[in-house]
Amino acid sequence: MRPPWPAKAVVTAGMPYGNKGLHFGHVGGVFVPADIFARFLRDRIGEENVLFVCGTDCYGSPIAEEYRKRAADDPTIGTIEDFVESNHLRQFEALKEYGISLDIYEGSGIGASGQAHREVTDQILKRLYDNGHLQRLSSAQFYDEEAHTFLNGRQVVGYCPVQGCKSEKGYADECDLGHQYMPKDLLNPVSTVSGKPPVMREVSNWYFDLPAFRELLQRYVDSRACEGATRSVVLKTIEEFLVPPIIYVKNEYLDVYEELKPQLPQHAFRPAEKGKASFELEFEDLASRENALSVLTGAGVRFRTGKTLVPFRITGNIAWGVPAPVLEGIDGLTVWCWPESLWAPISFTRARIEYGVGARGVESLNPERKDRAGEAWQQYWCDPRARVYQFIGQDNIYFYGVAQTALWSALPEVSASRVTSNNPASTNDDLPCVLPVDPAPGELQQTQLIANYHLQFLGKKASSSGSIKPPMAIDLLDYYTAEQLRAHFIALGLGQRNVSFQPKPLNEGAPQTEGDPVLKEGSLLTNVLNRLARSCFYAAAHDCGGRMPLDEIDDALVKDTASVLEDYEDLMYRQEFHSIMQLADTYIRRANKYWTDESKATVEDPAARQRVIATAFYLLKAACLMMHPIAPWGTRMVYEYLAVPVQEREFYSWEHAFDGYKGVLDDVDKASGFHAVTELPPRTDFFKRHPSQF
């Protein structure tokens, strides 16, 4: 049975920070898979029913910190807005070179998207407050007494306090592996501004009551596991945070613990397992654990905390951020970058539809984009027949899988006393969507998360802030074509495991006698599929007067092709992209072998040779349909030389996936049994190699 597809779809990718251009991990690990899926959806459900939205993440402490460092060395850098805008333009140009066909690529603080984002942020926070899910907490924040300033998240570096975490960098309230904790729990903090240990000062901020949603999140995990369309890494990571609060205490403090035990809140004690250096204290709730931490800290006990749900910070005290609405008279706060980045795709969708803008306000990375006038963003985010697909990295599962799921679930009415979009007294009527775990029609739908593991560089994790620097995406195009890289990235199997990117031109230790592993998938395009396409057109010119014969295709080949296309569709539905490349590889090589064998066998039989040419064209169309999302330039060129009387999007529509050329040719051609194609000049390549590879 063929898989069910939504009537409309949004595809979005994790936003890159506006403090730099795009490195290879941004493009290969997120944007290329998202683009290939968006292109497939356009072929499958119609270009007019798909929106591919993303933009630059303009706010957050990494941007503010990078700007501070740059401005200290270069007074001509301009404002922080100028800094973000320049990096946004670099990102836009790189995406264009890779053929990333976004309908909009602006930014959370840029242009129409910035305006829409401020409106959406204001509406969502007011709704969360009205529904009783925001807590005003007084918490300790890092303050640099020498620099006389509160420190943002990236201006404090220490050791992650989460038990078992191997992160080399813990920041104010999260480490670079995505673990969340309270700022006061960070171990050995140091200010990056002065290089001195900061102090803690009390500040008031708004927090989302994430621990209250543990049961709902468990139901979400169970339902997604039953559905079977969510990658296991997503569900496993979410469940890691659904455990009770635990403290891991070094075994050497066992006697001290026994003395302190009467002072601790009720808890369960578990001795250290064999070979482990710590015993465990499990508490009923977070407040009990926090009380226990105070007792242990006062006694000088060393400990680590376990993963669990903690209040999710919504606002902060740094100037560079989306202004938070005034609630209970608290003014001057900005929204922490992670919460507002979760609903930024809604802002991009609204900007695209309501303001009619594409990327940079005037153009789009998707040349086929259509005017969306008369539509509403709710058709994409709130209709149960629609679906939102979010492509993210493994490190961000906590935010999109845990925090976003709970935040979305906090928007609907949960008791008679809470305000909803159906309440005429609500001041938030501009945000009519709400989101339980099992949303009803008209409510914001939970998204499908497609998370990839780490894309490593030469066998090691690369990071802009680490010792192994990742190559910039735009620089890779000095050695490979975009289609070669797209095919390679999609075949790596990042949905299953960490994978190393091994470009031979950038690998000094690569054996010179071996080939470049990056070109393995590209050779399928530049050698095998290119040879099949050229053979079809040259044979049509030599044997059929420049025409493609329309003979009936052998039933066995038709059934085989239909089976392959059905498998391809099913793999797309499950986002198993590496298997898609394996499936296409087998089919394309088999098609090329068919031509090689049969064309030799029919040299002396014109009628048989004509049938072979017709069959080769039939196989070529199916091959190009599968590769259309992956190699858009080469497959477009095949379409252009076929000179069929329909537009490219109709030619590659899945409405005609199983009927060869019958649905895309006129009655005159069908009656004559031939279709005239454009003459192909000698040595023309549909799928090209990079100049450096000759």
Side-chain angles (χ1 to χ4, degrees):
M1 186 173 68
R2 296 177 64 183
W5 293 99
K8 289 184 178 291
V10 173
V11 179
T12 186
M15 298 189 297
Y17 279 128
N19 59 343
K20 60 174 73 73
L22 300 178
H23 60 64
F24 81 107
H26 290 132
V27 172
V30 178
F31 278 108
V32 165
D35 181 67
I36 288 172
F37 192 66
R39 287 177 179 272
F40 166 77
L41 284 175
R42 293 183 187 124
D43 291 343
R44 184 62 186 82
I45 66 174
E47 189 269 341
E48 69 280 4
N49 295 316
V50 181
L51 275 175
F52 185 15
V53 304
C54 195
T56 300
D57 193 347
C58 296
Y59 301 106
S61 56
I63 299 170
E65 176 64 3
E66 184 68 19
Y67 173 73
R68 183 190 67 81
K69 294 177 181 178
R70 296 282 188 90
D73 297 330
D74 181 9
T76 67
I77 197 172
T79 66
I80 192 170
E81 290 86 355
D82 296 332
F83 175 67
V84 171
E85 175 80 7
S86 65
N87 288 316
H88 168 73
L89 289 172
R90 292 169 61 199
Q91 294 172 4
F92 175 79
E93 291 302 320
L95 293 172
K96 183 166 64 174
E97 292 298 314
Y98 275 86
I100 309 301
S101 57
L102 284 148
D103 290 283
I104 182 170
Y105 192 77
E106 280 201 329
S108 56
I110 296 173
S113 292
Q115 175 62 31
H117 192 52
R118 288 187 290 273
E119 295 171 359
V120 171
T121 299
D122 191 75
Q123 293 158 10
I124 285 181
L125 294 193
K126 287 179 179 177
R127 176 68 60 79
L128 292 172
Y129 176 79
D130 288 342
N131 282 0
H133 295 300
L134 294 188
Q135 303 172 323
R136 179 180 175 182
L137 299 178
S138 179
S139 61
Q141 185 169 326
F142 291 108
Y143 184 83
D144 191 320
E145 293 183 308
E146 186 169 310
H148 306 291
T149 183
F150 281 104
L151 301 173
N152 65 46
R154 291 302 176 98
Q155 290 177 327
V156 182
V157 179
Y159 295 100
C160 178
V162 175
Q163 172 71 9
C165 179
K166 297 181 180 180
S167 167
E168 298 178 357
K169 291 191 176 180
Y171 301 109
D173 50 14
E174 64 169 319
C175 73
D176 64 351
L177 294 182
H179 297 144
Q180 296 288 295
Y181 42 81
M182 301 304 287
K184 64 183 180 60
D185 295 333
L186 180 66
L187 304 177
N188 300 328
V190 174
S191 168
T192 62
V193 178
S194 67
K196 302 293 180 62
V199 298
M200 304 297 290
R201 290 193 176 181
E202 292 292 316
V203 294
S204 291
N205 270 297
W206 291 104
Y207 286 77
F208 175 67
D209 188 11
L210 187 57
F213 289 83
R214 176 178 284 109
E215 181 180 341
L216 181 140
L217 288 166
Q218 186 62 62
R219 295 203 312 271
Y220 170 82
V221 169
D222 293 342
S223 66
R224 287 295 186 261
C226 181
E227 183 185 45
T230 301
R231 290 178 176 174
S232 60
V233 64
V234 174
L235 304 179
K236 178 178 179 294
T237 302
I238 295 175
E239 285 201 303
E240 289 175 353
F241 290 92
L242 304 184
V243 297
I246 296 175
I247 300 175
Y248 297 87
V249 183
K250 290 284 188 181
N251 291 334
E252 61 195 78
Y253 293 99
L254 183 59
D255 292 340
V256 179
Y257 158 72
E258 293 293 347
E259 295 178 5
L260 297 174
K261 186 175 180 179
Q263 304 176 41
L264 299 177
Q266 183 177 352
H267 63 278
F269 169 82
R270 283 194 290 270
E273 297 179 2
K274 184 177 181 180
K276 298 292 184 180
S278 301
F279 58 88
E280 301 177 12
L281 308 178
E282 180 181 305
F283 297 85
E284 293 182 355
D285 53 47
L286 191 63
S288 298
R289 191 187 75 172
E290 294 304 301
N291 290 336
L293 291 177
S294 298
V295 174
L296 296 174
T297 300
V301 175
R302 292 180 59 191
F303 57 81
R304 286 285 188 101
T305 54
K307 295 179 184 179
T308 193
L309 297 179
V310 299
F312 187 60
R313 182 159 63 92
I314 297 295
T315 64
N317 304 88
I318 64 173
W320 181 240
V322 180
V326 179
L327 302 172
E328 297 184 3
I330 302 178
D331 198 1
L333 298 179
T334 54
V335 182
W336 185 38
C337 66
W338 262 115
E340 50 93 356
S341 68
L342 297 177
W343 54 75
I346 298 176
S347 305
F348 297 140
T349 304
R350 288 184 58 174
R352 176 66 188 87
I353 290 175
E354 296 176 10
Y355 296 98
V357 298
R360 307 295 314 129
V362 293
E363 60 177 315
S364 172
L365 286 164
N366 173 19
E368 298 297 325
R369 77 179 180 92
K370 293 184 177 296
D371 184 16
R372 304 286 180 173
E375 291 188 312
W377 67 271
Q378 292 93 339
Q379 295 178 20
Y380 292 89
W381 286 86
C382 305
D383 192 326
R385 297 169 298 176
R387 193 142 201 184
V388 177
Y389 301 89
Q390 291 188 304
F391 287 75
I392 61 174
Q394 178 189 11
D395 289 352
N396 295 334
I397 293 175
Y398 172 85
F399 298 104
Y400 289 94
V402 178
Q404 177 180 279
T405 302
L407 279 166
W408 271 212
S409 300
L411 291 174
E413 181 180 19
V414 293
S415 72
S417 63
R418 289 177 178 167
V419 179
T420 72
S421 59
N422 296 320
N423 187 335
S426 173
T427 59
N428 300 310
D429 291 334
D430 290 335
L431 192 70
C433 293
V434 290
L435 181 64
V437 170
D438 300 310
E443 298 174 344
L444 196 63
Q445 305 294 297
Q446 290 283 8
T447 64
Q448 180 170 332
L449 299 179
I450 301 103
N452 278 337
Y453 284 88
H454 297 296
L455 181 56
Q456 300 172 336
F457 179 58
L458 302 181
K460 297 181 180 179
K461 183 180 178 181
S463 169
S464 300
S465 59
S467 58
I468 308 296
K469 303 298 181 184
M472 301 307 290
I474 199 73
D475 293 337
L476 293 177
L477 298 177
D478 291 338
Y479 310 100
Y480 309 99
T481 69
E483 288 189 327
Q484 287 174 329
L485 288 167
R486 288 169 64 95
H488 179 64
F489 286 139
I490 208 68
L492 289 177
L494 287 170
Q496 297 184 317
R497 64 193 185 285
N498 295 333
V499 182
S500 180
F501 179 54
Q502 302 273 2
K504 189 172 182 178
L506 302 180
N507 185 3
E508 295 180 355
Q512 294 304 307
T513 57
E514 297 181 3
D516 188 340
V518 176
L519 295 178
K520 178 179 181 293
E521 295 77 23
S523 65
L524 176 68
L525 299 171
T526 59
N527 294 345
V528 189
L529 185 54
N530 194 61
R531 187 184 307 123
L532 175 64
R534 290 170 61 169
S535 298
C536 285
F537 285 97
Y538 292 150
H542 183 270
D543 296 287
C544 302
R547 300 174 301 168
M548 174 177 65
L550 304 177
D551 295 47
E552 288 294 323
I553 309 303
D554 182 83
D555 283 344
L557 282 174
V558 171
K559 290 179 180 178
D560 176 70
T561 296
S563 177
V564 169
L565 292 178
E566 288 173 357
D567 289 344
Y568 175 95
E569 182 185 22
D570 186 64
L571 291 170
M572 272 292 186
Y573 182 77
R574 291 183 277 124
Q575 296 93 45
E576 295 184 10
F577 300 119
H578 66 291
S579 296
I580 285 171
M581 281 301 299
Q582 294 170 2
L583 180 74
D585 184 287
T586 300
Y587 183 85
I588 292 169
R589 292 183 187 280
R590 197 163 64 225
N592 190 68
K593 186 177 186 303
Y594 168 86
W595 167 256
T596 301
D597 294 344
E598 296 300 319
S599 64
K600 291 179 180 178
T602 56
V603 171
E604 304 299 331
D605 186 343
R609 185 168 181 80
Q610 180 174 299
R611 288 194 298 273
V612 168
I613 295 172
T615 300
F617 269 107
Y618 175 86
L619 300 175
L620 175 65
K621 182 177 184 294
C624 286
L625 175 66
M626 288 188 283
M627 298 309 296
H628 188 233
I630 301 167
W633 292 287
T635 52
R636 178 175 300 129
M637 188 174 172
V638 171
Y639 155 77
E640 290 170 347
Y641 273 89
L642 284 169
V644 292
V646 297
Q647 294 185 353
E648 181 184 0
R649 63 175 177 270
E650 183 177 352
F651 179 75
Y652 284 119
S653 167
W654 275 69
E655 288 186 19
H656 309 299
F658 300 94
D659 59 8
Y661 294 91
K662 294 177 182 178
V664 296
L665 296 178
D666 57 34
D667 292 338
V668 174
D669 282 343
K670 294 175 186 177
S672 70
F674 290 93
H675 166 70
V677 297
T678 300
E679 182 180 357
L680 185 68
R683 294 181 296 278
T684 298
D685 289 321
F686 291 95
F687 303 92
K688 299 173 174 57
R689 289 185 290 168
H690 191 273
S692 66
Q693 296 164 12
F694 288 92

